[in-house]
Amino acid sequence: MLRIGISARLLHEPPPGLGLPQKRLQFLESSMAHWVMAHGAIALMVPFVDENSPHLVNRVPASEVVDLLDGLVLQGGIDVCPETYGGTLLRPEWAGDPVRDRYELALLRGFIEARKPVLGICRGAQLINVYYGGTLLQDIPSQRRSPVLHQDLAHYDRLHHEVRFEPGLLLDRLYGSSVHSVTSIHHQCVDRLGEGLIVEARCPQDDVIEAIRATGPGFVLGLQWHPEFHLLPAEARQGLIDSGPLMEAFLQATRERADRHRKPA
């Protein structure tokens, strides 16, 4: 059975009611785990090791974590820190989390160098772009002045907008070239595309990049929307695209890579 690592979300200052004062928490959003496991794979969160921990010198090497797992999913969450991609912070609330950036970029590097499949969701797609040398737009409403609402925290996962897939590419082959509806929870997006990446999807109303893919060896795909929130019966999805083909494509690439490198008995 395939073992899919999922990067941890970090909560640096837990609310007092949780009973864990001054403790950083790491967590896995359940919809993401359900999406992976609904397709017959095991979902395993990859713990973050505190950079200031006295136990850091004894940590398991990242290469051994990569060896243990078959593929990686980067969860969504807080903004990517502008300093991570050489940008200048425009507003304090967009500072992101540089600690999480370093943790996830190290994971991403290990999986890409091992040519093990990677799927980035929302923030994960943005981080993939940064890894390949790209930059991000820190705020779509103020910098792009888009007519499309890409984030509305009052509605959270109930906000939808259209995407169009680029003809002949992976997503177009999975879903067809008509306009599709997806869940949107982001105010940042790809600005300058990273080297070795191609655009797989855009929002047709404002040209915001909604999906990217690496052209080199291996499977590296970033989606700006949240397909894990589409894991519903067809009659309940309200026109949202089925998340199944995406996960199946990722797992098929993972399975093929595992088969090529399986050691003989």
Side-chain angles (χ1 to χ4, degrees):
M1 186 172 290
L2 295 174
R3 294 168 294 193
I4 304 301
I6 303 179
S7 63
R9 292 193 184 209
L10 305 183
L11 187 59
H12 297 280
E13 297 180 1
L18 293 182
L20 292 164
Q22 300 177 350
K23 298 293 183 184
R24 179 189 283 119
L25 302 185
Q26 331 184 33
F27 64 98
L28 169 59
E29 202 281 320
S30 62
S31 295
M32 184 66 75
H34 293 165
W35 185 34
V36 172
M37 293 188 295
H39 294 270
I42 300 174
L44 300 167
M45 191 182 79
V46 182
F48 160 79
V49 178
D50 194 316
E51 297 165 314
N52 299 315
S53 169
H55 306 294
L56 187 62
V57 293
N58 298 319
R59 69 178 296 180
V60 174
S63 60
E64 293 192 20
V65 175
V66 174
D67 287 345
L68 178 68
L69 300 169
D70 298 304
L72 175 68
V73 175
L74 298 171
Q75 288 196 82
I78 195 167
D79 294 339
V80 176
C81 177
E83 292 181 358
T84 300
Y85 52 88
T88 300
L89 180 63
L90 300 180
R91 291 179 61 172
E93 59 267 35
W94 303 335
D97 184 353
V99 174
R100 183 175 171 187
D101 292 351
R102 291 191 291 273
Y103 149 70
E104 286 190 308
L105 283 171
L107 268 182
L108 182 57
R109 182 178 302 107
F111 277 83
I112 289 176
E113 289 179 352
R115 298 187 180 179
K116 291 191 173 184
V118 176
L119 180 61
I121 303 301
C122 197
R123 167 195 160 87
Q126 296 167 6
L127 203 68
I128 287 171
N129 189 57
V130 169
Y131 174 84
Y132 283 94
T135 61
L136 303 178
L137 205 65
Q138 291 183 41
D139 185 59
I140 296 170
S142 61
Q143 294 183 279
R144 180 65 66 89
R145 301 191 182 279
S146 167
V148 177
L149 194 60
H150 288 266
Q151 181 189 60
D152 182 355
L153 295 181
H155 289 86
Y156 194 59
D157 59 352
R158 292 170 292 162
L159 179 66
H160 309 152
H161 70 65
E162 294 179 338
V163 294
R164 185 183 295 279
F165 302 143
E166 294 296 319
L169 300 184
L170 174 64
L171 296 179
D172 178 55
R173 295 196 299 271
L174 291 176
Y175 291 102
S177 56
S178 62
V179 172
H180 302 275
S181 183
V182 297
T183 297
S184 182
I185 316 172
H186 66 102
H187 78 105
Q188 300 195 331
C189 67
V190 171
D191 185 11
R192 187 184 73 243
L193 189 65
E195 186 176 351
L197 297 175
I198 57 173
V199 175
E200 279 271 352
R202 296 179 185 270
C203 176
Q205 288 82 13
D206 58 14
D207 217 33
V208 163
I209 294 173
E210 291 285 336
I212 56 177
R213 182 169 56 86
T215 58
F219 180 106
V220 181
L221 177 66
L223 308 172
Q224 189 62 78
W225 67 91
H226 283 264
E228 73 274 23
F229 295 152
H230 299 191
L231 194 64
L232 298 166
E235 63 273 12
R237 286 203 304 268
Q238 299 180 333
L240 295 171
I241 62 171
D242 181 4
S243 63
L246 280 168
M247 181 53 64
E248 287 294 344
F250 169 65
L251 293 180
Q252 181 60 30
T254 305
R255 196 173 293 112
E256 290 173 357
R257 196 274 176 197
D259 288 344
R260 286 195 304 269
H261 292 80
R262 183 172 288 112
K263 295 179 181 179

